[in-house]
DNA sequence: ACCTGAACACCGTTCAAGT
DNA sequence: ACCTGAACACCGTTCAAGT
């Protein structure tokens, strides 16, 4: 006699939060942030748009869940068995790479930073700061500085990717920004003028790494 | 004989980009980000919603202009005649205070960072980094790190304010965040557990200042 | 040149009705 | 318990028509 199906067992085509999240990630990856609507999601899941609300509170909830999913994955991939400062670099770069691969994660995490994705990052960095020997009274501020920096760069990167989608390439987008930033009132902005070439040609990942190093140097100096 | 009215002269009740920006700021300050619609704006300006499009390309353009207006004002207020590192602190705090007073500026500048508000901040910081004696090769990365950090904190602050609007107070909002961050799987998040009290009770402005100091210490260490 | 306001093509969300 | 899909209450944006 086969066991009675438990309440948690479901037909594989039944709707679930996991299936909805997977479909949402697929839409976001394939067609971009603007394409994620409940109607599109319902079509892809061959269901009614109202059905999604049985598993998900609303769009914010859905976006929070997808973002947390991606961040959790990225954090799992980060090598944390290295020296504490290298582990911090690894965590930061893992998050950077996840956002590089999916710019919509950057949009979401900078729009709603008080969610569990941020908690994961905070925890991962905090543990390494402790291992690094940062005094307890400085741990919160140090972790917070790292997180804020990462969120800020995530926002820039996501915004850039959104523009790239409309323009041709990344170079084209930065060329555009530099053009706008240097053309009017150039004498009012000598510094921007000076770093224009670097801005146009810099490597995002390298600059991100440099910023993390700067903050780590600051933490070391204060310690 | 009175002079012929020049083409740029207008009746005071005529629509203009400046009047639209002022009205938009008023709506945002008074009724929040959700209340800024072209219909609401048109009503406040006693005109048709389509008329606004004669002066403003679209909603993004309008938001960019309002944000730039506020940032320009904040930058003007920053005391830049002090020692370079204090001038950097002054600029950072001026921006922080502007966002504290108008959280919607934080939302906007972190959503669309590649706009003239960011250019102003970048320039202001860059000039002081030069005065500080930061070697030219490190100036771009240093300014970029400061800007990213500020944008990240702006995003957090704006998101917090959005939640506060729905909840009671700032304390209530942070109590909520801490509750969510500590209740499930507490053993997975020992660091978050440890800094829970600090997170709940910390002063945003002080923590922001601490982060700037950390980055400045890092810049000094690298120099 | 500038303004009007109805119309268009969308949204997220709700909810009575089904199974 | 879960799903359906029409309906509601919005949006930003366009555009023929006015002055």
């Amino acid at each position: 006699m086969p066991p009675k199906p438990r309440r948690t067992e479901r037909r594989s085509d039944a709707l679930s939060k996991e299936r909805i999240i997977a479909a949402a990630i697929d839409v976001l990856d394939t067609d971009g942030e603007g394409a994620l609507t409940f109607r599109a999601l319902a079509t892809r899941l061959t269901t009614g748009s109202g059905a999604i609300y049985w598993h998900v509170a609303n769009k914010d909830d859905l976006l929070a869940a997808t973002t947390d999913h991606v961040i959790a994955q990225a954090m799992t991939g980060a090598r944390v068995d290295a020296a504490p400062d290298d582990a911090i670099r690894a965590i930061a770069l893992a998050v950077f790479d996840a956002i590089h691969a999916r710019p919509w994660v950057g949009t979401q995490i900078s729009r709603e930073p008080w969610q569990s994705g941020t908690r994961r990052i905070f925890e991962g960095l905090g543990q390494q700061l402790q291992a690094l020997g940062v005094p307890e009274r400085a741990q919160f501020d140090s972790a917070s500085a790292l997180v804020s920096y990462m969120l800020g760069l995530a926002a820039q990167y996501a915004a850039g990717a959104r523009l790239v989608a409309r323009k041709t390439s990344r170079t084209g987008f930065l060329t555009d920004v530099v053009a706008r930033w240097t053309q009017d009132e150039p004498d009012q902005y000598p510094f921007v003028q000076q770093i224009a070439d670097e801005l146009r040609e810099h490597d995002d990942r390298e600059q991100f790494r440099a910023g993390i190093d700067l903050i780590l140097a600051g933490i070391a100096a204060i310690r």
Side-chain angles (χ1 to χ4, degrees), chain A:
Chain A
M1 190 172 80
K4 220 178 274 184
R6 294 192 303 123
R7 220 166 52 79
T8 48
E9 275 180 297
R10 299 200 175 115
R11 286 169 309 125
S12 70
D13 62 336
L15 219 48
S16 67
K17 187 155 185 176
E18 295 78 52
R19 278 193 67 221
I20 293 169
I21 290 171
I25 289 176
D26 204 32
V27 172
L28 289 163
D29 285 349
T30 311
D31 302 321
E33 305 175 27
L36 186 69
T37 68
F38 277 75
R39 283 163 179 77
L41 216 44
T43 304
R44 184 168 304 221
L45 291 162
T46 55
T47 182
S49 60
I52 297 167
Y53 283 88
W54 189 264
H55 303 274
V56 149
N58 51 40
K59 195 170 183 181
D60 280 349
D61 182 30
L62 173 60
L63 282 168
T66 58
T67 302
D68 185 53
H69 183 90
V70 172
I71 296 292
Q73 211 170 276
M75 293 297 291
T76 306
R79 292 284 306 267
V80 158
D81 53 351
D85 57 335
D86 282 333
I88 289 173
R89 288 187 185 89
I91 291 169
L93 287 173
V95 173
F96 179 90
D97 289 339
I99 293 170
H100 177 87
R102 308 195 218 248
W104 55 266
V105 173
T107 304
Q108 179 55 19
I109 205 167
S110 57
R111 228 191 74 82
E112 295 289 347
W114 298 107
Q115 278 167 344
S116 41
T118 308
R119 178 173 66 151
R120 291 180 198 276
I121 298 169
F122 217 91
E123 179 67 32
L125 295 172
Q127 288 183 10
Q128 299 305 322
L129 288 169
Q130 292 179 324
L132 197 62
V134 173
E136 189 160 341
R137 66 171 197 291
Q139 288 173 10
F140 177 48
D141 282 351
S142 301
S144 172
L146 285 165
V147 167
S148 293
Y149 172 74
M150 290 169 66
L151 289 178
L153 210 118
Q156 285 172 80
Y157 198 88
R162 248 176 281 136
L163 290 173
V164 167
R166 274 185 214 112
K167 308 275 171 187
T168 43
S169 61
R170 189 193 107 91
T171 326
F173 143 66
L174 277 177
T175 303
D176 255 39
V177 169
V178 169
R180 274 191 291 119
W181 282 22
T182 51
Q183 68 189 8
D184 55 81
E185 311 176 60
D187 49 318
Q188 299 259 22
Y189 295 90
F191 178 72
V192 169
Q193 213 76 23
Q194 180 197 296
I195 52 89
D197 291 343
E198 287 180 273
L199 176 54
R200 191 163 32 226
E201 283 150 31
H202 79 279
D203 181 301
D204 279 322
R205 201 172 190 270
E206 276 315 303
Q207 186 168 61
F208 177 68
R209 185 201 286 278
I212 295 290
D213 283 346
L214 214 51
I215 298 175
L216 283 175
I219 291 172
I222 277 181
R223 188 170 27 147

